């Protein structure tokens, strides 16, 4: 399955990337992120994710951006267009379940609305565990 990642502002829409997901187990997947070049802001790479032990998904803020924390998920960077990115991700971020990109809609005027994001992500985890990762 391939999903487009788009930026939308008013009537303007620009596709900035794509995610192609392949199931590798009951609740594990490989995800390839590719940059369409429209804005050259999307980082390309390939990741493996295992959501078998996923507990919660949270949004949080760092000094420079909103991030997503996938508590209990096992993640690994397999390839990246940036030198050293996989080493850093695999040693620093993956063990903490930290995904340095925000997952889901990012509305300019509502960027501080973490409560809405948290509720949406909680619902997504429940759906995934109940419908996608069913054994």
């Amino acid at each position: 399955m391939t999903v487009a990642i788009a930026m939308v502002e008013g009537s303007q829409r620009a596709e900035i990337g794509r995610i192609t997901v392949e199931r590798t187990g009951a609740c594990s997947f490989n995800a390839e992120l590719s940059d369409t070049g429209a804005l050259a802001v999307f980082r390309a790479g390939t990741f493996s994710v295992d959501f078998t032990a996923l507990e919660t998904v949270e949004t949080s803020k760092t000094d420079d951006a909103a991030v997503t924390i996938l508590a209990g998920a096992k993640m690994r960077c397999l390839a990246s267009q940036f030198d050293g990115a996989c080493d850093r991700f695999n040693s620093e971020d993956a063990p903490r379940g930290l995904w340095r990109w925000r997952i889901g809609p990012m509305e300019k005027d509502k960027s501080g609305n973490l409560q809405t994001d948290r509720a949406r992500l909680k619902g997504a985890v429940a759906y995934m565990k109940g419908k996608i990762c069913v054994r």
Side-chain angles (χ1 to χ4, degrees), residues 6-7 14-17 35-42:
M7 291 181 68
E15 183 179 308
I16 61 169
D35 186 346
T36 61
L39 295 174
V41 297
F42 196 70

Side-chain angles (χ1 to χ4, degrees), residues 77 80-92:
C77 178
S80 174
Q81 73 183 61
F82 299 101
D83 289 338
C86 278
D87 292 338
R88 185 178 60 250
F89 181 83
N90 292 336
S91 66
E92 296 175 22

Side-chain angles (χ1 to χ4, degrees), residues 47-113:
F47 297 84
S48 67
V49 293
D50 183 344
F51 292 128
T52 303
L54 180 67
E55 299 164 11
T56 62
V57 179
E58 271 291 327
T59 56
S60 187
K61 290 197 178 232
T62 62
D63 291 340
D64 57 347
V67 297
T68 304
I69 301 164
L70 299 121
K74 293 179 184 170
M75 302 183 292
R76 183 149 186 82
C77 178
L78 304 175
S80 174
Q81 73 183 61
F82 299 101
D83 289 338
C86 278
D87 292 338
R88 185 178 60 250
F89 181 83
N90 292 336
S91 66
E92 296 175 22
D93 295 348
R96 299 184 301 161
L98 180 63
W99 184 256
R100 290 196 181 267
W101 301 285
R102 186 170 167 170
I103 296 175
M106 292 183 257
E107 297 180 49
K108 186 190 288 186
D109 298 335
K110 298 179 182 178
S111 61
N113 193 351

Side-chain angles (χ1 to χ4, degrees), residues 8 10 21 34 39 46 50 55 60-61 65 71 97 104-105 112-114 117 119 128:
V8 179
V21 178
S34 58
L39 295 174
T46 305
D50 183 344
E55 299 164 11
S60 187
K61 290 197 178 232
N113 193 351
L114 292 178
D117 287 346
M128 187 176 67

